[in-house]
Amino acid sequence: MSDEKLVQRIAALFDGYSKASGTHGMPERDPNGLKWSIKKTAKTLNVGPTTELWKKHLSGERPLGVVPIRDDSTCAWGSIDVDEYDSDLLQLIARVESMKLPLVPCRSKSGGLHLFLFTSEPVTAELMQAALRGMAEAIGHGGAEIFPKQTTIGAGSSGNWMVMPYYGDTFSGKLQHQHGLKKTGAEMTLEEFVARAERERVTAKQLQAYKSKAERSRRPQPQRKNHSLEPDGPFGDGPPCLQVMAQSGFPEGGRNNALFHLGVYLKRALPDRWKEALADDNQKYMQPPLPLEEVLQVQKQLDKKEYRYKCRDQPMAQHCDKVACLGREFGVGDGADIPIITHIRVVQSDDPIWFMSLKGSNTELQITDARDLTDFKRFRNQCVRQLRVTFHLLSDDHWTAIYSAALAGAKVEEAPVDLTALGEFQGLLQNYVTNRQHGKSRDDLLRDIGWENEAERRYEFTMAGLTRHLRQEGLKFTRQQPGEWIRTLGGGQLNEHNGGVTKVKGRSLRIWWIPSGAVEKAPELAPPPPPEEHI
């Protein structure tokens, strides 16, 4: 098979938005020093992912980022980003395979795991998100980042892009090779990855089935009134992981851990007869039951003091639903009054606004500062101010689990362009080139006055003159942003291929331009009528 054909196959798998793509430069250490970050060197380009860009990506010449959501708000692929570097990746891959999920594992550039999902036909971005969220919850990573980020894509928005796998370089070891992983931990070749991805593609009907299954699993379970095997399932007032294992079976090799976990629950739920219940449950749910000596040893340990649940240990961790567990009477939150976020919509702009619906309230909570969401004490204050309700204090770990799960299912709405920094810039640029004193020729650029080059159908100006105008109008911007905004509007720098220098009356100028159609001309107003003569 030719390399050209292989490039076309991977490009077809990762079909995305056709009007923009992403790239990045040399990674830098993130603030906490845990990993190398591309955030400061990442940039969005006004050109879609072409075959040539894919070739440069695969050869290690320049990374390529693709926006999963297509021009018509459908998707052909998505991803679960397991951003936990201390996780056992092989164990997670084995879990995916044992559950027969159509996910293709690939190491991320930071050492985590991307689980890619591909479809044989375009599906709505909303369906892709919902199915991926259900799969993430099923493998015990409900708080993982999901791509696509948006459910719709509109004018002026390029969506969030994701760096593609199989970039041919590591930036001197700062990043890891983003290669597909087999269940043994061995890396897939590019051809193996493409072939695996093509085999795993699912139909829209199959994806809808995954979504429906996930929705059913999230429905609230009836609360148990006593320790018995009711049809609705045991442990309904305790950790969901116990419910799952009671139905699917406690796995061989982790039963002692699970029995201890079960004992912590029973000691809370049935304080007067928990030892008897633990012995009974060992016979009912452990197949085969653990020896009596091990049961007695667990009882002896639990008798000494009050223990916490073993949430991070296996086999509980793979079935963990921390958000549901927090609200249960004998879950990790001990039935505390906690905020249940039923819906989030995000108005996406330079400064996002989060509108949150909480269970029991008919009024949306409006968050304009991310710290009022991520810091639970600040979130409680907002609830008191806006909704006149309050909640028990939660640990950082518990609150992060709650809002992360809610954010993963958030509905993203693009803010009107005129409410973004780009929209404000466009208005000020229009004022600069149309409503000020116009130059009559290119020579006037020497006085930092813009002029309209009617022959070329564009406005020309200097960056110094424009940025002075922007600052006078109070627009805040970084050094790079005006140039990026100009290119977004279809403009750029004259003679950029020659260093951007143009001679004007013998002087070297760096001249910028935008198409005449990028802004509206100021309407020509009729002159005021002459004053009436009074006799």
Side-chain angles (χ1 to χ4, degrees):
M1 181 185 302
S2 68
D3 291 342
E4 184 76 25
K5 189 171 182 180
L6 192 57
V7 172
Q8 292 173 356
R9 286 171 64 191
I10 192 170
L13 281 169
F14 288 101
D15 183 28
Y17 189 51
S18 70
K19 299 176 183 177
S21 61
T23 191
H24 68 83
M26 181 65 70
E28 299 180 6
R29 280 285 188 190
D30 67 0
N32 57 26
L34 296 179
K35 66 175 185 175
W36 292 92
S37 172
I38 64 169
K39 187 173 182 179
K40 290 186 178 180
T41 61
K43 58 182 177 180
T44 300
L45 309 173
N46 295 317
V47 58
T50 63
T51 302
E52 288 305 311
L53 289 178
W54 265 107
K55 289 179 180 178
K56 290 182 178 181
H57 175 83
L58 296 172
S59 67
E61 186 177 343
R62 189 175 79 169
L64 172 64
V66 176
V67 180
I69 188 167
R70 305 181 342 149
D71 302 42
D72 59 356
S73 297
T74 63
C75 289
W77 65 278
S79 174
I80 302 169
D81 184 0
V82 182
D83 194 21
E84 297 180 12
Y85 314 118
D86 57 351
S87 294
D88 187 334
L89 301 188
L90 291 185
Q91 188 177 72
L92 181 54
I93 293 171
R95 195 179 311 157
V96 168
E97 294 209 356
S98 68
M99 299 179 77
K100 301 188 185 309
L101 296 175
L103 299 170
V104 183
C106 183
R107 185 186 289 111
S108 73
K109 62 183 179 298
S110 302
L113 197 67
H114 289 158
L115 296 169
F116 289 110
L117 176 65
F118 300 93
T119 60
S120 57
E121 57 193 303
V123 300
T124 65
E126 184 177 6
L127 174 58
M128 177 68 77
Q129 274 189 357
L132 285 169
R133 176 55 51 209
M135 293 181 191
E137 291 170 356
I139 61 175
H141 287 275
E145 188 176 20
I146 297 293
F147 285 84
K149 293 284 192 180
Q150 293 80 20
T151 55
T152 59
I153 195 161
S157 170
S158 59
N160 292 83
W161 50 266
M162 176 178 188
V163 178
M164 293 290 92
Y166 287 88
Y167 176 56
D169 190 23
T170 63
F171 287 95
S172 301
K174 293 181 173 63
L175 303 180
Q176 299 208 28
H177 278 302
Q178 301 168 68
H179 291 174
L181 295 177
K182 302 176 183 179
K183 61 183 179 181
T184 60
E187 294 184 348
M188 301 181 198
T189 65
L190 176 58
E191 188 167 354
E192 287 174 330
F193 176 83
V194 170
R196 168 78 182 274
E198 290 172 341
R199 288 196 307 270
E200 296 285 0
R201 285 182 293 200
V202 295
T203 65
K205 185 176 180 180
Q206 290 173 311
L207 209 59
Q208 182 63 50
Y210 283 111
K211 176 188 175 185
S212 300
K213 183 178 180 181
E215 289 172 344
R216 288 195 299 272
S217 70
R218 294 191 196 104
R219 291 173 187 165
Q221 298 293 322
Q223 296 291 297
R224 281 193 324 119
K225 298 303 180 183
N226 51 54
H227 183 66
S228 62
L229 278 171
E230 296 295 335
D232 56 282
F235 317 125
D237 54 359
C241 59
L242 289 176
Q243 280 186 296
V244 173
M245 290 187 288
Q247 295 171 13
S248 62
F250 287 81
E252 185 75 32
R255 290 179 299 141
N256 192 282
N257 247 357
L259 189 71
F260 188 94
H261 190 75
L262 176 57
V264 175
Y265 159 75
L266 291 172
K267 194 173 179 183
R268 298 180 183 191
L270 301 169
D272 297 330
R273 57 186 188 90
W274 67 270
K275 291 183 180 179
E276 175 188 346
L278 184 63
D280 289 344
D281 282 351
N282 177 52
Q283 296 295 322
K284 292 175 182 177
Y285 301 117
M286 303 293 173
Q287 298 298 325
L290 289 165
L292 178 60
E293 302 80 54
E294 293 190 34
V295 177
L296 293 174
Q297 181 63 31
V298 170
Q299 290 174 339
K300 184 178 179 180
Q301 283 182 275
L302 291 170
D303 226 2
K304 293 179 180 179
K305 63 177 183 178
E306 298 301 317
Y307 282 91
R308 294 177 178 271
Y309 287 115
K310 298 170 73 69
C311 303
R312 296 186 178 182
D313 291 357
Q314 295 297 349
M316 285 68 67
Q318 70 188 77
H319 303 298
C320 183
D321 185 345
K322 187 175 289 184
V323 176
C325 197
L326 280 166
R328 295 194 172 180
E329 183 178 359
F330 301 111
V332 291
D334 293 321
D337 183 17
I338 65 172
I340 304 298
I341 303 171
T342 58
H343 180 70
I344 296 182
R345 61 185 181 94
V346 185
V347 177
Q348 189 67 47
S349 64
D350 303 284
D351 296 306
I353 304 175
W354 296 267
F355 294 92
M356 313 176 71
S357 298
L358 301 186
K359 184 178 180 180
S361 176
N362 295 323
T363 305
E364 280 190 319
L365 182 68
Q366 181 175 323
I367 302 292
T368 57
D369 187 332
R371 292 171 297 180
D372 289 332
L373 173 59
T374 57
D375 185 323
F376 186 64
K377 290 183 179 179
R378 293 179 59 138
F379 180 82
R380 287 176 80 218
N381 291 339
Q382 290 296 329
C383 289
V384 172
R385 290 179 60 249
Q386 298 183 44
L387 307 180
R388 296 183 179 84
V389 297
T390 190
F391 300 99
H392 289 290
L393 279 173
L394 292 175
S395 69
D396 290 342
D397 187 39
H398 287 163
W399 176 236
T400 298
I402 291 175
Y403 78 74
S404 295
L407 281 177
K411 181 179 180 182
V412 180
E413 303 172 4
E414 293 297 330
V417 174
D418 57 351
L419 295 183
T420 65
L422 173 61
E424 188 176 358
F425 169 80
Q426 187 173 7
L428 294 174
L429 176 58
Q430 175 177 300
N431 175 268
Y432 178 71
V433 297
T434 66
N435 288 349
R436 292 167 59 86
Q437 178 184 359
H438 299 304
K440 296 180 180 180
S441 70
R442 183 175 282 178
D443 294 352
D444 288 311
L445 296 177
L446 294 169
R447 297 188 293 124
D448 287 336
I449 296 177
W451 78 294
E452 184 177 10
N453 188 335
E454 294 183 354
E456 299 293 338
R457 302 187 64 183
R458 68 190 180 208
Y459 290 100
E460 298 181 5
F461 49 89
T462 63
M463 186 62 77
L466 174 61
T467 53
R468 187 180 303 114
H469 173 66
L470 297 178
R471 290 192 180 98
Q472 288 172 349
E473 296 297 326
L475 181 66
K476 295 180 180 180
F477 54 91
T478 65
R479 186 176 180 179
Q480 294 78 21
Q481 280 180 316
E484 293 172 358
W485 288 330
I486 289 168
R487 291 189 172 92
T488 299
L489 295 174
Q493 194 174 39
L494 288 185
N495 298 324
E496 198 158 3
H497 58 287
N498 289 329
V501 175
T502 302
K503 292 289 185 179
V504 178
K505 297 188 72 172
R507 287 180 54 186
S508 295
L509 276 187
R510 296 186 185 276
I511 301 174
W512 291 77
W513 64 275
I514 57 168
S516 296
V519 296
E520 295 181 7
K521 288 188 178 182
E524 294 186 10
L525 303 178
E532 295 183 4
E533 295 184 6
H534 296 281
I535 299 176

PDB file of all heavy atoms in Angstrom, residues 9-31:
ATOM      1  N   ARG A   9      -6.372   7.585   4.045  1.00  0.00           N
ATOM      2  CA  ARG A   9      -7.235   6.796   4.942  1.00  0.00           C
ATOM      3  C   ARG A   9      -7.309   7.400   6.338  1.00  0.00           C
ATOM      4  O   ARG A   9      -8.393   7.489   6.922  1.00  0.00           O
ATOM      5  CB  ARG A   9      -6.713   5.359   5.019  1.00  0.00           C
ATOM      6  CG  ARG A   9      -6.998   4.546   3.769  1.00  0.00           C
ATOM      7  CD  ARG A   9      -6.275   3.212   3.817  1.00  0.00           C
ATOM      8  NE  ARG A   9      -6.742   2.364   4.906  1.00  0.00           N
ATOM      9  CZ  ARG A   9      -6.125   1.243   5.299  1.00  0.00           C
ATOM     10  NH1 ARG A   9      -4.997   0.873   4.694  1.00  0.00           N
ATOM     11  NH2 ARG A   9      -6.611   0.513   6.273  1.00  0.00           N
ATOM     12  N   ILE A  10      -6.159   7.853   6.892  1.00  0.00           N
ATOM     13  CA  ILE A  10      -6.209   8.433   8.235  1.00  0.00           C
ATOM     14  C   ILE A  10      -6.901   9.798   8.218  1.00  0.00           C
ATOM     15  O   ILE A  10      -7.635  10.145   9.130  1.00  0.00           O
ATOM     16  CB  ILE A  10      -4.803   8.517   8.881  1.00  0.00           C
ATOM     17  CG1 ILE A  10      -4.945   8.853  10.381  1.00  0.00           C
ATOM     18  CG2 ILE A  10      -3.925   9.550   8.189  1.00  0.00           C
ATOM     19  CD1 ILE A  10      -3.657   8.735  11.159  1.00  0.00           C
ATOM     20  N   ALA A  11      -6.712  10.544   7.119  1.00  0.00           N
ATOM     21  CA  ALA A  11      -7.402  11.827   6.988  1.00  0.00           C
ATOM     22  C   ALA A  11      -8.907  11.621   6.906  1.00  0.00           C
ATOM     23  O   ALA A  11      -9.688  12.414   7.456  1.00  0.00           O
ATOM     24  CB  ALA A  11      -6.895  12.572   5.751  1.00  0.00           C
ATOM     25  N   ALA A  12      -9.349  10.556   6.246  1.00  0.00           N
ATOM     26  CA  ALA A  12     -10.781  10.262   6.145  1.00  0.00           C
ATOM     27  C   ALA A  12     -11.356   9.857   7.500  1.00  0.00           C
ATOM     28  O   ALA A  12     -12.481  10.227   7.844  1.00  0.00           O
ATOM     29  CB  ALA A  12     -11.016   9.160   5.119  1.00  0.00           C
ATOM     30  N   LEU A  13     -10.580   9.101   8.286  1.00  0.00           N
ATOM     31  CA  LEU A  13     -11.037   8.718   9.625  1.00  0.00           C
ATOM     32  C   LEU A  13     -11.257   9.939  10.505  1.00  0.00           C
ATOM     33  O   LEU A  13     -12.234  10.030  11.244  1.00  0.00           O
ATOM     34  CB  LEU A  13     -10.006   7.791  10.283  1.00  0.00           C
ATOM     35  CG  LEU A  13      -9.989   6.335   9.863  1.00  0.00           C
ATOM     36  CD1 LEU A  13      -8.746   5.649  10.412  1.00  0.00           C
ATOM     37  CD2 LEU A  13     -11.247   5.623  10.360  1.00  0.00           C
ATOM     38  N   PHE A  14     -10.318  10.894  10.436  1.00  0.00           N
ATOM     39  CA  PHE A  14     -10.374  12.089  11.274  1.00  0.00           C
ATOM     40  C   PHE A  14     -10.952  13.273  10.485  1.00  0.00           C
ATOM     41  O   PHE A  14     -10.471  14.399  10.603  1.00  0.00           O
ATOM     42  CB  PHE A  14      -8.982  12.431  11.812  1.00  0.00           C
ATOM     43  CG  PHE A  14      -8.504  11.485  12.877  1.00  0.00           C
ATOM     44  CD1 PHE A  14      -7.603  10.474  12.588  1.00  0.00           C
ATOM     45  CD2 PHE A  14      -8.981  11.587  14.175  1.00  0.00           C
ATOM     46  CE1 PHE A  14      -7.163   9.601  13.566  1.00  0.00           C
ATOM     47  CE2 PHE A  14      -8.543  10.715  15.166  1.00  0.00           C
ATOM     48  CZ  PHE A  14      -7.641   9.718  14.858  1.00  0.00           C
ATOM     49  N   ASP A  15     -11.986  13.011   9.723  1.00  0.00           N
ATOM     50  CA  ASP A  15     -12.669  14.076   8.987  1.00  0.00           C
ATOM     51  C   ASP A  15     -13.261  15.063   9.995  1.00  0.00           C
ATOM     52  O   ASP A  15     -13.920  14.659  10.954  1.00  0.00           O
ATOM     53  CB  ASP A  15     -13.772  13.473   8.122  1.00  0.00           C
ATOM     54  CG  ASP A  15     -14.482  14.515   7.274  1.00  0.00           C
ATOM     55  OD1 ASP A  15     -13.842  15.531   6.929  1.00  0.00           O
ATOM     56  OD2 ASP A  15     -15.675  14.322   6.966  1.00  0.00           O
ATOM     57  N   GLY A  16     -13.008  16.366   9.784  1.00  0.00           N
ATOM     58  CA  GLY A  16     -13.497  17.364  10.730  1.00  0.00           C
ATOM     59  C   GLY A  16     -13.843  18.670  10.054  1.00  0.00           C
ATOM     60  O   GLY A  16     -14.169  18.706   8.864  1.00  0.00           O
ATOM     61  N   TYR A  17     -13.758  19.744  10.809  1.00  0.00           N
ATOM     62  CA  TYR A  17     -14.116  21.077  10.317  1.00  0.00           C
ATOM     63  C   TYR A  17     -13.189  21.471   9.166  1.00  0.00           C
ATOM     64  O   TYR A  17     -11.964  21.324   9.267  1.00  0.00           O
ATOM     65  CB  TYR A  17     -14.002  22.069  11.462  1.00  0.00           C
ATOM     66  CG  TYR A  17     -14.554  23.452  11.171  1.00  0.00           C
ATOM     67  CD1 TYR A  17     -15.827  23.624  10.651  1.00  0.00           C
ATOM     68  CD2 TYR A  17     -13.796  24.591  11.447  1.00  0.00           C
ATOM     69  CE1 TYR A  17     -16.336  24.884  10.401  1.00  0.00           C
ATOM     70  CE2 TYR A  17     -14.300  25.864  11.212  1.00  0.00           C
ATOM     71  CZ  TYR A  17     -15.566  25.999  10.683  1.00  0.00           C
ATOM     72  OH  TYR A  17     -16.074  27.256  10.439  1.00  0.00           O
ATOM     73  N   SER A  18     -13.763  21.961   8.074  1.00  0.00           N
ATOM     74  CA  SER A  18     -12.970  22.202   6.859  1.00  0.00           C
ATOM     75  C   SER A  18     -12.380  23.598   6.777  1.00  0.00           C
ATOM     76  O   SER A  18     -11.585  23.868   5.882  1.00  0.00           O
ATOM     77  CB  SER A  18     -13.852  21.972   5.627  1.00  0.00           C
ATOM     78  OG  SER A  18     -14.840  22.992   5.517  1.00  0.00           O
ATOM     79  N   LYS A  19     -12.749  24.501   7.718  1.00  0.00           N
ATOM     80  CA  LYS A  19     -12.332  25.896   7.586  1.00  0.00           C
ATOM     81  C   LYS A  19     -11.263  26.309   8.598  1.00  0.00           C
ATOM     82  O   LYS A  19     -10.850  27.464   8.622  1.00  0.00           O
ATOM     83  CB  LYS A  19     -13.544  26.813   7.720  1.00  0.00           C
ATOM     84  CG  LYS A  19     -14.599  26.559   6.639  1.00  0.00           C
ATOM     85  CD  LYS A  19     -15.829  27.413   6.869  1.00  0.00           C
ATOM     86  CE  LYS A  19     -16.904  27.092   5.816  1.00  0.00           C
ATOM     87  NZ  LYS A  19     -18.154  27.853   6.060  1.00  0.00           N
ATOM     88  N   ALA A  20     -10.855  25.390   9.443  1.00  0.00           N
ATOM     89  CA  ALA A  20      -9.823  25.736  10.433  1.00  0.00           C
ATOM     90  C   ALA A  20      -9.120  24.471  10.886  1.00  0.00           C
ATOM     91  O   ALA A  20      -9.648  23.359  10.780  1.00  0.00           O
ATOM     92  CB  ALA A  20     -10.444  26.464  11.627  1.00  0.00           C
ATOM     93  N   SER A  21      -7.913  24.651  11.384  1.00  0.00           N
ATOM     94  CA  SER A  21      -7.147  23.553  11.978  1.00  0.00           C
ATOM     95  C   SER A  21      -6.239  24.166  13.038  1.00  0.00           C
ATOM     96  O   SER A  21      -6.244  25.380  13.252  1.00  0.00           O
ATOM     97  CB  SER A  21      -6.332  22.816  10.905  1.00  0.00           C
ATOM     98  OG  SER A  21      -5.408  23.698  10.279  1.00  0.00           O
ATOM     99  N   GLY A  22      -5.462  23.334  13.699  1.00  0.00           N
ATOM    100  CA  GLY A  22      -4.590  23.840  14.747  1.00  0.00           C
ATOM    101  C   GLY A  22      -3.172  23.330  14.595  1.00  0.00           C
ATOM    102  O   GLY A  22      -2.903  22.363  13.870  1.00  0.00           O
ATOM    103  N   THR A  23      -2.265  23.973  15.291  1.00  0.00           N
ATOM    104  CA  THR A  23      -0.885  23.504  15.365  1.00  0.00           C
ATOM    105  C   THR A  23      -0.265  24.070  16.633  1.00  0.00           C
ATOM    106  O   THR A  23      -0.898  24.839  17.359  1.00  0.00           O
ATOM    107  CB  THR A  23      -0.078  23.918  14.117  1.00  0.00           C
ATOM    108  OG1 THR A  23       1.181  23.229  14.120  1.00  0.00           O
ATOM    109  CG2 THR A  23       0.178  25.415  14.085  1.00  0.00           C
ATOM    110  N   HIS A  24       0.967  23.689  16.922  1.00  0.00           N
ATOM    111  CA  HIS A  24       1.655  24.236  18.099  1.00  0.00           C
ATOM    112  C   HIS A  24       3.148  24.180  17.881  1.00  0.00           C
ATOM    113  O   HIS A  24       3.649  23.477  16.993  1.00  0.00           O
ATOM    114  CB  HIS A  24       1.253  23.469  19.368  1.00  0.00           C
ATOM    115  CG  HIS A  24       1.740  22.039  19.415  1.00  0.00           C
ATOM    116  ND1 HIS A  24       3.006  21.694  19.822  1.00  0.00           N
ATOM    117  CD2 HIS A  24       1.126  20.875  19.096  1.00  0.00           C
ATOM    118  CE1 HIS A  24       3.151  20.389  19.768  1.00  0.00           C
ATOM    119  NE2 HIS A  24       2.024  19.863  19.315  1.00  0.00           N
ATOM    120  N   GLY A  25       3.852  24.937  18.713  1.00  0.00           N
ATOM    121  CA  GLY A  25       5.301  24.967  18.638  1.00  0.00           C
ATOM    122  C   GLY A  25       5.932  24.204  19.778  1.00  0.00           C
ATOM    123  O   GLY A  25       5.356  23.245  20.296  1.00  0.00           O
ATOM    124  N   MET A  26       7.109  24.636  20.203  1.00  0.00           N
ATOM    125  CA  MET A  26       7.863  23.950  21.246  1.00  0.00           C
ATOM    126  C   MET A  26       7.084  23.945  22.567  1.00  0.00           C
ATOM    127  O   MET A  26       6.649  24.990  23.033  1.00  0.00           O
ATOM    128  CB  MET A  26       9.207  24.648  21.452  1.00  0.00           C
ATOM    129  CG  MET A  26      10.082  23.981  22.505  1.00  0.00           C
ATOM    130  SD  MET A  26      10.628  22.319  22.058  1.00  0.00           S
ATOM    131  CE  MET A  26      11.778  22.687  20.722  1.00  0.00           C
ATOM    132  N   PRO A  27       6.869  22.780  23.182  1.00  0.00           N
ATOM    133  CA  PRO A  27       6.160  22.714  24.468  1.00  0.00           C
ATOM    134  C   PRO A  27       6.942  23.424  25.573  1.00  0.00           C
ATOM    135  O   PRO A  27       8.166  23.540  25.514  1.00  0.00           O
ATOM    136  CB  PRO A  27       6.062  21.210  24.747  1.00  0.00           C
ATOM    137  CG  PRO A  27       6.334  20.547  23.432  1.00  0.00           C
ATOM    138  CD  PRO A  27       7.261  21.459  22.697  1.00  0.00           C
ATOM    139  N   GLU A  28       6.207  23.897  26.592  1.00  0.00           N
ATOM    140  CA  GLU A  28       6.821  24.541  27.750  1.00  0.00           C
ATOM    141  C   GLU A  28       6.312  23.860  29.012  1.00  0.00           C
ATOM    142  O   GLU A  28       5.218  23.293  29.025  1.00  0.00           O
ATOM    143  CB  GLU A  28       6.474  26.036  27.782  1.00  0.00           C
ATOM    144  CG  GLU A  28       6.971  26.803  26.562  1.00  0.00           C
ATOM    145  CD  GLU A  28       6.602  28.278  26.637  1.00  0.00           C
ATOM    146  OE1 GLU A  28       6.075  28.701  27.678  1.00  0.00           O
ATOM    147  OE2 GLU A  28       6.834  28.990  25.654  1.00  0.00           O
ATOM    148  N   ARG A  29       7.086  23.935  30.071  1.00  0.00           N
ATOM    149  CA  ARG A  29       6.664  23.346  31.338  1.00  0.00           C
ATOM    150  C   ARG A  29       5.406  24.052  31.839  1.00  0.00           C
ATOM    151  O   ARG A  29       5.328  25.284  31.830  1.00  0.00           O
ATOM    152  CB  ARG A  29       7.751  23.485  32.404  1.00  0.00           C
ATOM    153  CG  ARG A  29       8.852  22.443  32.289  1.00  0.00           C
ATOM    154  CD  ARG A  29       8.379  21.089  32.790  1.00  0.00           C
ATOM    155  NE  ARG A  29       9.482  20.135  32.850  1.00  0.00           N
ATOM    156  CZ  ARG A  29       9.334  18.833  33.064  1.00  0.00           C
ATOM    157  NH1 ARG A  29       8.119  18.331  33.219  1.00  0.00           N
ATOM    158  NH2 ARG A  29      10.367  18.043  33.102  1.00  0.00           N
ATOM    159  N   ASP A  30       4.413  23.273  32.286  1.00  0.00           N
ATOM    160  CA  ASP A  30       3.219  23.896  32.835  1.00  0.00           C
ATOM    161  C   ASP A  30       3.550  24.451  34.219  1.00  0.00           C
ATOM    162  O   ASP A  30       4.583  24.131  34.797  1.00  0.00           O
ATOM    163  CB  ASP A  30       2.041  22.921  32.861  1.00  0.00           C
ATOM    164  CG  ASP A  30       2.249  21.767  33.829  1.00  0.00           C
ATOM    165  OD1 ASP A  30       3.308  21.712  34.476  1.00  0.00           O
ATOM    166  OD2 ASP A  30       1.352  20.908  33.934  1.00  0.00           O
ATOM    167  N   PRO A  31       2.663  25.316  34.785  1.00  0.00           N
ATOM    168  CA  PRO A  31       2.985  25.984  36.052  1.00  0.00           C
ATOM    169  C   PRO A  31       3.342  25.044  37.191  1.00  0.00           C
ATOM    170  O   PRO A  31       4.187  25.369  38.020  1.00  0.00           O
ATOM    171  CB  PRO A  31       1.689  26.758  36.364  1.00  0.00           C
ATOM    172  CG  PRO A  31       1.083  27.014  35.019  1.00  0.00           C
ATOM    173  CD  PRO A  31       1.406  25.802  34.205  1.00  0.00           C
TER     174      PRO A  31
END
